[in-house]
Amino acid sequence: MGVISNGTTLLDAGALDSGVVTGAMTLIKTVTASTSSTISFVDGASGVVLDDTYKEYIIKFTDVHLGSDDKRFTLQGSIDAGSNYNVNATTSTFRAKHAEDDSGSGFEYTNGHDSDNGTAFFQISDILGSGNNADDCIAGFLQLFNPSSTTFVKHFKGRFNANNTGECIGGFGAGYFNTTSAIDAIQFKADAGNIDAGTFKLYGIK
Amino acid sequence: MAILSNAVEMADAGAFSVGLGAMTFIKELNTSGGAVANMTFHHGASSVVLDSTYPIYKFVFSNMHPAGNAVFWLFQANAVGESGFNEQINSSTFRAVNPENSSNGQVDYIASIDQANGTGFQNICSDGDIKTNNDSCISGELLIFNPSSTTFVKQFMASTNHMVNNSQSSDNYINGYFNTTAAIDEFQFKFNSGNIDAGTIKLYGIKDS
């Protein structure tokens, strides 16, 4: 039985009617790191949707604290539901940085931390996560555009801010997974050691 | 009384059980009542929520127009139970700028507005110079990550665009963190001189699960 208000159907068949306006950003999945070796979002697993349901996905990460000192926060995609994370990716990366003691600042392309059609895990931009300082963390987001396309490469953009042993680093990166296969999983990890803490939220944009 | 449809609970106890979108509008401040010196969002006041209810907050400011000439757009925060907008900020800033009448565009780091554990208001419009010309303004957004944390510093990111000196477009990127483990529950926006003549700031919460 539907719920009708003033002649307008609001609820029916166990769902909001398609005519009911809701927000365009839908939380799909939250994963909380706790001394985790990896953080993964795999379509069809654990309630994750990462297919053609949405044209755009955003993963927001908050208070990511790496378990070991001077390690890097990286990511990769998968075309086989997380069996392998090794998709060819080409990226460009840059950052603006500034020391807490004002001893230096900089704006630079982070050569060596981009990916040249490589299949290894890569960074959004260069940041050494500090595991030794309890209040150090990384926060930001990764936008993934139309990952289910089987026609085009898959573009993404990322941005973060982080503090590492007395330095503020604003990181920016963008690129594409150089494949026409659908990307159906994304994984984050440190280049060595664990992700000690942090919250990762996957959203779909209608 | 719960409302069920096809055996699925849709609403109960005065709230929807089904998802209505992850980005929730919390509060709007504007100048409909006239120019104001600043716009301040304080948890618990005037229906503002700025606590652990949401892990991420987003301010969107549109068409902020100054009463004073050649000014900067700024923000700061205040920790729970403290007074004054004077939290320690570390920030980095850069911009891409291009004049209306030439192709002399450039990208540069703006060292004059970054902060090194400074307690002043953070400039989020690079070299500013927002004029009082009727069509001159600044718009953009500011993301605040987990302001209620008592463990970590509070990361933030701002992206703005504004008209410089009534003749240039400046695309500004400001990243930083409040270097405190105290929870933050109050944010203030203002120009460095004079009132906010016109403009709207909206606060959104991005939901937890």
Side-chain angles (χ1 to χ4, degrees):
Chain A
M1 184 185 76
V3 174
I4 299 170
S5 176
N6 199 30
T8 300
T9 299
L10 299 175
L11 312 172
D12 197 15
L16 287 171
D17 187 82
S18 60
V20 175
V21 176
T22 61
M25 184 172 174
T26 301
L27 175 64
I28 297 170
K29 181 72 179 178
T30 299
V31 180
T32 303
S34 179
T35 320
S36 304
S37 58
T38 61
I39 298 292
S40 304
F41 294 94
V42 180
D43 180 52
S46 304
V48 170
V49 175
L50 193 57
D51 59 10
D52 62 357
T53 303
Y54 301 95
K55 286 288 189 185
E56 179 186 353
Y57 291 84
I58 298 178
I59 300 170
K60 292 183 182 282
F61 41 90
T62 303
D63 294 347
V64 175
H65 183 74
L66 303 187
S68 304
D69 212 24
D70 290 345
K71 298 297 179 282
R72 292 187 161 87
F73 179 56
T74 67
L75 67 103
Q76 244 294 6
S78 171
I79 59 171
D80 54 13
S83 295
N84 298 282
Y85 291 93
N86 57 0
V87 183
N88 289 101
T90 296
T91 70
S92 58
T93 62
F94 63 98
R95 65 179 184 177
K97 62 179 183 177
H98 186 213
E100 287 185 7
D101 62 4
D102 214 14
S103 59
S105 62
F107 180 45
E108 60 194 5
Y109 187 86
T110 52
N111 204 11
H113 301 279
D114 49 10
S115 179
D116 312 316
N117 216 24
T119 58
F121 277 71
F122 56 88
Q123 295 181 271
I124 292 173
S125 187
D126 188 29
I127 170 69
L128 283 171
S130 173
N132 290 347
N133 296 323
D135 66 348
D136 279 7
C137 61
I138 305 165
F141 60 84
L142 176 74
Q143 279 176 287
L144 184 60
F145 300 94
N146 202 13
S148 69
S149 171
T150 54
T151 303
F152 298 111
V153 302
K154 266 57 93 186
H155 291 287
F156 55 84
K157 288 174 70 77
R159 182 178 177 183
F160 66 74
N161 198 70
N163 57 320
N164 177 39
T165 317
E167 193 171 44
C168 171
I169 298 175
F172 298 78
Y176 53 88
F177 290 112
N178 196 6
T179 177
T180 54
S181 298
I183 297 287
D184 58 5
I186 296 288
Q187 185 174 88
F188 298 87
K189 67 179 183 179
D191 65 347
N194 292 322
I195 299 176
D196 192 45
T199 303
F200 296 74
K201 290 176 179 291
L202 171 64
Y203 300 90
I205 308 298
K206 280 181 187 171
Chain B
M1 184 185 76
I3 298 174
L4 287 82
S5 175
N6 202 29
V8 176
E9 182 183 284
M10 308 300 290
D12 193 20
F16 278 99
S17 310
V18 294
L20 297 175
M23 189 166 155
T24 302
F25 170 71
I26 297 172
K27 182 73 179 178
E28 174 181 329
L29 298 178
N30 58 48
T31 51
S32 61
V36 295
N38 60 66
M39 291 186 180
T40 302
F41 296 83
H42 190 188
H43 175 70
S46 304
S47 305
V48 169
V49 176
L50 263 171
D51 62 1
S52 61
T53 302
Y54 300 95
I56 302 171
Y57 289 86
K58 180 176 183 175
F59 294 95
V60 177
F61 34 93
S62 301
N63 300 336
M64 309 310 297
H65 179 72
N69 205 27
V71 295
F72 301 93
W73 182 235
L74 316 170
F75 88 104
Q76 243 291 11
N78 182 33
V80 173
E82 296 184 2
S83 61
F85 293 91
N86 52 11
E87 301 304 318
Q88 283 193 324
I89 291 176
N90 289 281
S91 58
S92 62
T93 64
F94 69 95
R95 62 148 187 203
V97 63
N98 190 40
E100 292 180 6
N101 60 357
S102 81
S103 58
N104 189 27
Q106 64 187 65
V107 176
D108 46 18
Y109 188 88
I110 308 295
S112 59
I113 66 164
D114 60 10
Q115 295 206 64
N117 268 339
T119 57
F121 274 69
Q122 176 63 51
N123 179 326
I124 47 176
C125 65
S126 64
D127 63 350
D129 203 7
I130 307 171
K131 302 289 193 186
T132 54
N133 302 64
N134 287 338
D135 62 349
S136 183
C137 63
I138 180 168
S139 298
E141 65 178 37
L142 170 69
L143 285 173
I144 306 286
F145 292 84
N146 205 12
S148 68
S149 170
T150 54
T151 302
F152 297 112
V153 303
K154 317 303 179 289
Q155 309 284 355
F156 65 82
M157 301 176 185
S159 302
T160 66
N161 200 78
H162 78 285
M163 182 185 278
V164 183
N165 193 23
N166 204 36
S167 62
Q168 303 176 58
S169 173
S170 184
D171 181 14
N172 316 298
Y173 295 86
I174 300 91
N175 281 21
Y177 54 89
F178 292 101
N179 198 7
T180 177
T181 54
I184 287 175
D185 70 345
E186 190 173 13
F187 290 87
Q188 185 173 92
F189 298 83
K190 66 179 184 179
F191 289 107
N192 66 309
S193 177
N195 285 336
I196 301 170
D197 186 57
T200 300
I201 303 180
K202 295 188 178 191
L203 171 63
Y204 300 88
I206 299 179
K207 273 184 189 168
D208 207 334
S209 57

